[in-house]
Amino acid sequence: MPDTGAVEMLDEPAAAAELARLADVLASHDLRYYQDQSPSVSDADYDALKRRNAAIEARFPHLVRDNSPSLRVGARRSESFAPVAHGVPMLSLDNAFSDEDAAEFDARVRRFLRLGDEVVAYTAEPKIDGLSASLRYENGVLIQGATRGDGRVGEDVTANLRTIPEIPHRLAGTGWPEVIEVRGEVYLGHAEFAALNAAAEQSGDKAYANPRNAASGSLRQIDPAITAGRPLRFFAYAWGLISEPFAESQWDALAALRSWGFSVTPQARRVEGATGLLDAYAGLEAARPGLGFDIDGVVYKVDRLDWQTRLGFVSRSPRWAVARKFPAERARTILEAIDIQVGRTGAVTPVARLRPVTVGGVVVENATLHNADEIARKDVRIGDTVVVQRAGDVIPQIVEVVLEARPAGAEPFVYPTHCPCPLRTPLARETTTAGVETVVRRCTGEFACPFQRIEHLKHFVSRRAFDIEGLGEKQLTAFFDEGLIGEPADIFRLVRNETVLATLRERDGYGETSVRNLRAAIEARRTIALDRFIFALGIRHVGETTALVIARGYGDAESFLAAMDRVADRDPEAMAELDAFDQVGAAVIEAAAAYFGEDHNRRIVRALRSELTILDAEKPKTDTAVAGKTVVFTGSLERMTRDEAKARAESLGAKVSSAVSKKTDIVVAGPGAGSKLKTAAELGLTVLTEEEWLALIGA
Ligand code: IVH
């Protein structure tokens, strides 16, 4: 086994290179071991490599790689666990960061439900900082347990979850539904975390950065015996699929979960109104240091389950719950440099390169500086001591400069006037459609700018887009620089090109297994959901939510692409159709027209399309009285808000539009309806009162 010298002798560049080598070598050993079940090295040699990796990382903590073997401590890669489709998706929560946000949540709920002055009851539960799991019980018996995964499909970790004492194998008591997915958080207490890390240090293994990483690593062990040795714990707080209702409120549901043998956080409280929300937050903030486990906020949930149902969901999070997060953690460090990064739309962002510092358990080396104005406003200078903060998964930020610590001679930062790309195109200050200058500066190089092209590709392969594992930033950049990948379609062409694959196999630190994995990862994404495809195109203003709305609106790829060609030609009917989709406005239409108006883009999309199988969007309901009908609400509604009416109609498969046209099927008109009602009458459309509408949908 090549061992390139004593760890103590390595300088920084040599250490970085050695860590890269070890990551590759260990990854290929792991693969042989776990996937092919044929170890390629002895356990002793494998352990020696791991120790060497850990020793180098201990000397150079800032060089720890994203794919470091130490971060995986035996954790099996995801393809080792069978996929499990959740009966009901595992969603995420919207965040609230202030008292105002919390009060606004209460106000929003009351507005949506039209409650006027009625006081709403909520549960306020600790937001446990672990990883969520879903446990499927049939007739009271645990039959399957899964991680969250992407929310729809998780990993089957049943054997590992069974080792957790707080997860009942058989439900106690009575009253459980025949089928229920119990949801909750797997976590590790502070004392157990400290003990685990102490033991790891003893045996020369790398310590985990925080209890959450440790819980995640422990749950995702190939060998359940290892998981069993980790003192994991579990709090139940929610449910997914149920064969029948079992409670009328979140509070009663928590009590039911407890009666069936689950642990439920004892700090959960039932509170009333906005003041109740604020009290609960203050109470938990005070209790936090003494809890013995990590929490990162409070989850507020509307208590009444019938109200939860009415409130429903927005995209991927419920309207009936919100996570109130604790403030970000902060630390001081030195600003070593300011680099200018070019985004996929050409917008440039200054990035602070920091002396590595641990903030809230994570090493931070970069922070965003947003824009030139922000640098000037904060008067950030190279060499300054700065306060950095990090909250959740957001990009770390520089809060302020510690002026007392400014070194003599530190000069104000001079913002570059040209893109750092090889073309050196001038940066233009962006103006709004109304001609007002914004803080955004853009490289005007567009597709000639290699920096923009690579950013497009990074977005394309990113987790929420095509999610191509194994084609990380480093690999993608290398392939781009070598001319192997210039546009998205090239990714799929690459793995069919035997000549290229053969040269890749010959590469240092690459080889047969890496090529096989890359190929499998790419092939796995040749079939893709329409909303992901749309999101991945990187059209400005089209985020995940809008992509989903657009996908559902058009239904399939052909209809979407045909419509986009017409939008590009500024066909009024096509533009109106797009405009009618919920959450799609002028900015999206303009961006879509600009994107598809570019020949270059049309060619790129067509080439990509021909490489893929694009799945139709989730079909709206077809078995309801209003399925497939286009509905317009006008005038004021008395029994529900406009938002609720819209959400309800959409959940029943109707399309809700804001404009009346001959394509409209039903107009629901309340008091005060004006021109839309008139148009409806002229077109001879069905016009219903709110009562008639409610009767039609069976509400
Ligand atoms: S309820 C529909 N309750 O927070 C949302 N989540 O950001 C159902 N979490 O993925 C989740 N403590 O991992 C809920 N008391 C609690 C929670 C909690 C922690 C986590 C959970 C979820 C994430 C959402």
Side-chain angles (χ1 to χ4, degrees):
M1 189 184 357
D3 181 340
T4 39
V7 171
E8 298 69 42
M9 303 297 285
L10 295 174
D11 61 8
E12 193 166 320
E18 182 61 357
L19 287 176
R21 185 187 73 86
L22 287 168
D24 286 348
V25 171
L26 282 161
S28 73
H29 288 325
D30 281 351
L31 209 86
R32 291 292 297 274
Y33 184 81
Y34 296 134
Q35 213 157 359
D36 308 344
Q37 262 117 49
S38 58
S40 41
V41 281
S42 71
D43 287 355
D45 285 351
Y46 180 88
D47 290 345
L49 285 170
K50 270 234 156 131
R51 276 199 302 275
R52 179 171 172 78
N53 187 75
I56 301 174
E57 288 183 342
R59 271 197 67 206
F60 300 98
H62 60 288
L63 293 182
V64 174
R65 303 165 59 83
D66 283 348
N67 70 341
S68 165
S70 57
L71 298 175
R72 293 198 312 258
V73 209
R76 202 172 183 181
R77 52 185 49 68
S78 44
E79 56 264 41
S80 310
F81 295 108
V84 180
H86 300 301
V88 163
M90 293 180 79
L91 301 157
S92 42
L93 293 172
D94 243 4
N95 291 327
F97 294 101
S98 63
D99 284 356
E100 291 73 40
D101 288 355
E104 173 50 28
F105 167 63
D106 172 61
R108 213 163 46 231
V109 165
R110 282 186 298 115
R111 268 201 308 275
F112 191 95
L113 297 173
R114 286 226 159 169
L115 295 178
D117 291 336
E118 190 169 344
V119 176
V120 176
Y122 298 94
T123 62
E125 307 168 26
K127 186 168 187 306
I128 307 127
D129 199 6
L131 69 150
S132 49
S134 184
L135 310 165
R136 186 179 172 104
Y137 289 84
E138 288 181 14
N139 299 308
V141 179
L142 174 62
I143 61 149
Q144 192 169 55
T147 60
R148 179 176 186 279
D150 68 1
R152 287 174 197 279
V153 179
E155 297 165 308
D156 187 338
V157 286
T158 314
N160 296 349
L161 286 167
R162 279 185 201 282
T163 68
I164 302 178
E166 279 171 301
I167 294 185
H169 291 190
R170 199 173 263 282
L171 298 180
T174 53
W176 22 265
E178 195 176 312
V179 179
I180 179 168
E181 289 174 342
V182 173
R183 306 256 162 100
E185 203 83 354
V186 175
Y187 70 101
L188 206 58
H190 291 155
E192 293 80 8
F193 169 68
L196 184 65
N197 266 355
E201 261 157 44
Q202 279 273 307
S203 57
D205 286 331
K206 171 130 195 271
Y208 286 106
N210 54 47
R212 174 158 45 85
N213 287 2
S216 170
S218 301
L219 186 63
R220 301 174 78 260
Q221 293 285 330
I222 347 92
D223 182 357
I226 298 184
T227 309
R230 306 278 172 89
L232 291 174
R233 305 193 53 187
F234 183 79
F235 273 130
Y237 50 66
W239 58 96
L241 183 75
I242 42 172
S243 52
E244 58 268 343
F246 65 95
E248 289 186 352
S249 67
Q250 171 71 16
W251 189 246
D252 290 349
L254 291 177
L257 289 167
R258 196 180 290 117
S259 76
W260 301 337
F262 290 101
S263 293
V264 170
T265 48
Q267 296 78 19
R269 287 175 53 191
R270 184 176 180 279
V271 299
E272 297 200 325
T275 45
L277 297 179
L278 304 191
D279 285 352
Y281 175 81
L284 265 169
E285 199 175 33
R288 188 182 186 189
L291 292 179
F293 54 89
D294 273 358
I295 65 173
D296 57 347
V298 185
V299 182
Y300 300 138
K301 303 175 188 168
V302 169
D303 193 36
R304 274 177 60 166
L305 300 186
D306 57 338
W307 283 355
Q308 288 192 3
T309 310
R310 277 178 61 191
L311 284 154
F313 301 86
V314 208
S315 160
R316 282 165 186 142
S317 42
R319 274 198 202 86
W320 46 263
V322 77
R324 168 86 196 268
K325 304 296 273 289
F326 291 129
E329 306 212 38
R330 294 180 171 191
R332 280 185 181 197
T333 188
I334 308 284
L335 174 70
E336 295 187 325
I338 297 177
D339 288 344
I340 304 295
Q341 271 185 353
V342 186
R344 73 189 149 87
T345 61
V348 297
T349 319
V351 179
R353 304 296 180 199
L354 305 168
R355 183 165 301 165
V357 61
T358 305
V359 190
V362 170
V363 179
V364 170
E365 303 179 69
N366 305 310
T368 176
L369 281 164
H370 302 287
N371 51 56
D373 296 19
E374 178 86 355
I375 297 182
R377 192 174 62 75
K378 287 185 178 151
D379 187 21
V380 184
R381 303 182 186 189
I382 293 165
D384 270 344
T385 296
V386 292
V387 177
V388 185
Q389 84 170 23
R390 179 187 153 265
D393 293 332
V394 302
I395 304 166
Q397 310 212 326
I398 290 183
V399 187
E400 61 190 12
V401 173
V402 183
L403 283 177
E404 312 84 80
R406 174 165 285 168
E411 296 288 338
F413 182 68
V414 180
Y415 206 83
T417 50
H418 289 71
C419 179
C421 76
L423 303 174
R424 305 242 148 253
T425 38
L427 295 179
R429 210 166 166 137
E430 192 180 64
T431 49
T432 64
T433 36
V436 181
E437 273 206 340
T438 72
V439 292
V440 180
R441 280 164 213 241
R442 267 176 218 287
C443 162
T444 49
E446 298 272 344
F447 295 104
C449 171
F451 285 18
Q452 289 185 50
R453 286 171 55 205
I454 184 77
E455 290 307 317
H456 255 290
L457 287 165
K458 281 187 204 160
H459 168 77
F460 183 84
V461 302
S462 67
R463 198 170 56 78
R464 297 182 312 174
F466 267 66
D467 188 20
I468 301 180
E469 227 175 283
L471 198 55
E473 200 160 302
K474 191 175 130 235
Q475 203 58 258
L476 188 64
T477 312
F479 287 167
F480 180 80
D481 289 344
E482 292 165 46
L484 291 176
I485 294 178
E487 62 177 65
D490 291 338
I491 297 170
F492 296 93
R493 293 183 187 128
L494 178 86
V495 290
R496 285 196 275 107
N497 188 331
E498 289 303 332
T499 328
V500 173
L501 292 178
T503 55
L504 284 182
R505 276 187 205 103
E506 299 302 304
R507 266 195 204 176
D508 255 9
Y510 221 68
E512 182 62 39
T513 4
S514 311
V515 171
R516 183 155 25 98
N517 289 343
L518 180 67
R519 187 184 215 164
I522 294 174
E523 289 300 343
R525 295 293 184 265
R526 218 181 258 284
T527 301
I528 191 94
L530 179 58
D531 61 313
R532 278 192 184 244
F533 170 78
I534 295 174
F535 173 66
L537 295 181
I539 305 165
R540 283 179 72 189
H541 306 294
V542 179
E544 274 181 295
T545 308
T546 310
L548 190 62
V549 168
I550 296 177
R552 288 191 178 149
Y554 292 114
D556 61 87
E558 292 336 307
S559 312
F560 163 71
L561 292 172
M564 289 305 109
D565 281 347
R566 291 169 55 214
V567 167
D569 296 340
R570 303 200 171 261
D571 170 325
E573 216 176 304
M575 292 173 95
E577 183 183 21
L578 182 56
D579 195 20
F581 297 155
D582 193 19
Q583 305 183 48
V584 172
V588 171
I589 299 174
E590 234 356 272
Y595 187 98
F596 288 94
E598 195 68 63
D599 285 344
H600 177 89
N601 285 345
R602 286 207 210 194
R603 194 194 55 69
I604 283 184
V605 174
R606 224 178 299 127
L608 173 64
R609 168 80 194 94
S610 70
E611 293 290 331
L612 306 173
T613 304
I614 303 176
L615 302 175
D616 291 354
E618 204 175 280
K619 282 267 174 294
K621 284 213 172 97
T622 53
D623 55 352
T624 71
V626 297
K629 301 259 196 287
T630 302
V631 183
V632 174
F633 292 96
T634 180
S636 55
L637 300 176
E638 280 161 355
R639 298 257 311 265
M640 55 192 160
T641 57
R642 192 66 75 80
D643 279 347
E644 186 181 2
K646 196 164 164 188
R648 181 90 70 91
E650 281 170 351
S651 75
L652 294 170
K655 264 196 224 172
V656 178
S657 170
S658 48
V660 175
S661 74
K662 54 181 190 294
K663 285 195 179 162
T664 310
D665 296 296
I666 303 172
V667 175
V668 182
S675 66
K676 288 184 192 169
L677 182 57
K678 202 166 140 240
T679 317
E682 280 161 17
L683 293 170
L685 305 174
T686 308
V687 178
L688 301 181
T689 62
E690 185 178 2
E691 289 306 319
E692 287 167 336
W693 163 257
L694 289 173
L696 178 67
I697 62 173

